[in-house]
Amino acid sequence: MDVKRIQPDAGLAERLMNDLALLAEPSFKEYKTTEYIVAFLKKTGINPSHIFETGCYGTLDFGAEKTVAFRSDIDALPANPDKTEYKHLCGHHHNMTALLLLLEAVQRSEVKPKVNIRYIFQPAEEIVSGAKFMIEKGCLDGVDCIFAAHAENEIPMGKLGVKSGPCMAGSHHIALTFTGKATHAAMPHLGNDVITAAADYITKAQMIVSRLKDPILPGLISFGSIHGGSADNIIPDKIELKGTFRYFHSEVKDTIEKGMESLASGIEELYGVKIEIDIKDGTHPVINDPALAAFICDIADENSLPRVPFDKASLGGEDFSEYVRLVKGVFVWTGANEHGNHPPLHSGDFYVPTPTVVASADMWIKLAYSIDRYFG
């Protein structure tokens, strides 16, 4: 069979993208989005075996020995400070549409893939909780490998970017509370200057990644929130500091965590303050399976699907990592850069052109009909 003859429906792609964009909802509140997905699947003759309050999954069972999973996240991001409006500023409507187009094309075709297809519509990626939820509900049971696609503003529109090995970073959260004795700003010696202590901590934390870890291995510490104080002439008794750190290798994670604990002890002694530090796990690194990544590139080339050499890892986090810790998988980027200066992900102006989602769906179709060759 010439798999090139099975094509995604471009007109349907645009309609799905527009519909899903209008339904954008927050994590674990994707009620209308889930209803829309389930209704579309049933209209195409697919009945999901597992439908939750938000999210669903199921299997197109063709009696094959192997089962291949395709995952899409379904939640959106707040579009204003008070979180009363949500938009797909990370392009999850693209991810949903690409997977729906794959399923529609398989249903439409008289020839079926030689593998079973597990489809996963996952809630709550943006709060890195949805993958664990779906795994607990059994979405990976019997799955041999898994794939996901995501729009990328740095890649030309419609071209694929497939990276082997480390793809997205482990992302963990830091919260520190500095407490001391408040005092007049003109008499700092009579209290404990928690503001200066926090500022010193922020500055010295960068020495952890520049001097304590192996410089060959990537790592990053960033602080995005600092709160405290009520007047310009009062040194407060408490400062709250929040941030994140990123890594690809476990030894870097260990170095950063130990370094932050040691730094807190030193700052406490120097300034006479008390520091409570809370480090919470977010996501693990996304590590693309090298053999599967190479196979995807081969399939793309065989089917004349445009792609770019892509060896750039992202320090962004993705809970797709939870899946690839359990089964082999690949996270694929699809170019959304339409005019050479595309708005970045998570920005208010970010959008996904229709050719991007058509390219993703086309890749999934070609992969679904060829992946049996990978298993031999």
Side-chain angles (χ1 to χ4, degrees):
M1 181 200 67
D2 184 5
V3 70
K4 291 182 180 179
R5 296 173 58 186
I6 305 176
Q7 296 290 328
D9 185 331
L12 178 60
E14 187 165 2
R15 292 196 298 274
L16 288 172
M17 285 269 284
N18 290 338
D19 288 349
L20 290 165
L22 294 173
L23 296 176
E25 298 168 292
S27 299
F28 280 133
K29 294 183 179 180
E30 310 95 333
Y31 308 118
K32 293 180 180 178
T33 302
T34 299
E35 289 177 5
Y36 183 93
I37 291 169
V38 171
F40 178 87
L41 292 175
K42 289 184 176 180
K43 186 177 179 180
T44 59
I46 300 172
N47 291 298
S49 56
H50 296 74
I51 302 172
F52 309 109
E53 191 172 19
T54 63
C56 67
Y57 76 87
T59 307
L60 299 186
D61 190 344
F62 302 117
E65 180 182 349
K66 301 294 184 179
T67 298
V68 175
F70 293 85
R71 170 269 204 174
S72 168
D73 33 18
I74 68 174
D75 53 336
L77 288 164
N80 56 5
D82 57 2
K83 299 183 179 181
T84 57
E85 180 184 3
Y86 281 77
K87 292 183 179 180
H88 279 296
L89 303 178
C90 198
H92 292 183
H93 59 323
H94 156 276
N95 308 348
M96 290 182 275
T97 299
L99 181 47
L100 290 172
L101 289 173
L102 162 64
L103 299 173
E104 187 275 336
V106 170
Q107 288 293 92
R108 174 167 32 95
S109 175
E110 294 182 0
V111 180
K112 304 304 181 185
K114 296 180 181 179
V115 295
N116 307 316
I117 295 179
R118 175 73 48 80
Y119 52 90
I120 302 169
F121 291 94
Q122 175 209 306
E125 185 277 329
E126 294 295 351
I127 60 171
V128 297
S129 300
K132 290 181 180 179
F133 168 78
M134 296 298 279
I135 291 169
E136 289 171 358
K137 296 297 184 180
C139 76
L140 281 187
D141 292 353
V143 167
D144 294 284
C145 60
I146 187 168
F147 302 98
H150 203 292
E152 170 53 52
N153 60 286
E154 294 187 11
I155 297 176
M157 182 176 68
K159 295 187 177 182
L160 303 171
V162 183
K163 186 184 183 306
S164 178
C167 178
M168 300 192 75
S171 169
H172 298 286
H173 309 289
I174 316 156
L176 300 103
T177 302
F178 296 72
T179 55
K181 181 182 178 182
T183 183
H184 195 290
M187 305 171 191
H189 61 293
L190 299 180
N192 308 110
D193 192 342
V194 292
I195 290 181
T196 301
D200 201 12
Y201 190 97
I202 292 170
T203 302
K204 285 189 169 64
Q206 302 310 315
M207 302 297 288
I208 298 171
V209 292
S210 68
R211 287 296 177 267
L212 298 185
K213 74 167 185 63
D214 184 338
I216 299 298
L217 303 179
L220 174 143
I221 300 174
S222 290
F223 294 97
S225 172
I226 182 167
H227 291 280
S230 58
D232 61 358
N233 62 347
I234 300 174
I235 295 174
D237 61 359
K238 184 168 74 172
I239 288 287
E240 294 179 341
L241 179 64
K242 293 181 180 179
T244 180
F245 71 88
R246 309 295 169 102
Y247 67 95
F248 290 102
H249 303 84
S250 59
E251 56 264 45
V252 173
K253 175 179 180 289
D254 293 342
T255 296
I256 291 176
E257 289 182 342
K258 291 176 183 177
M260 297 190 77
E261 295 279 2
S262 297
L263 178 58
S265 298
I267 295 291
E268 282 182 325
E269 183 175 352
L270 178 61
Y271 292 94
V273 299
K274 175 67 176 176
I275 302 176
E276 295 179 10
I277 181 168
D278 183 22
I279 299 174
K280 292 183 178 179
D281 287 348
T283 61
H284 298 276
V286 175
I287 309 297
N288 283 345
D289 181 77
L292 271 178
F295 183 81
I296 290 177
C297 291
D298 290 342
I299 296 304
D301 294 343
E302 284 179 15
N303 290 277
S304 302
L305 303 181
R307 65 183 182 91
V308 295
F310 196 74
D311 198 38
K312 180 180 178 181
S314 168
L315 285 172
E318 237 286 354
D319 73 353
F320 185 71
S321 59
E322 297 298 328
Y323 300 108
V324 295
R325 294 181 74 203
L326 300 174
V327 298
K328 294 179 179 180
V330 176
F331 191 89
V332 178
W333 297 106
T334 308
N337 194 331
E338 186 172 14
H339 300 296
N341 188 25
H342 201 79
L345 293 166
H346 286 215
S347 70
D349 296 327
F350 179 75
Y351 69 95
V352 181
T354 300
T356 298
V357 72
V358 172
S360 294
D362 202 12
M363 179 69 251
W364 285 163
I365 292 168
K366 304 307 185 280
L367 184 61
Y369 279 90
S370 305
I371 189 66
D372 60 290
R373 289 159 41 193
Y374 169 81
F375 297 111

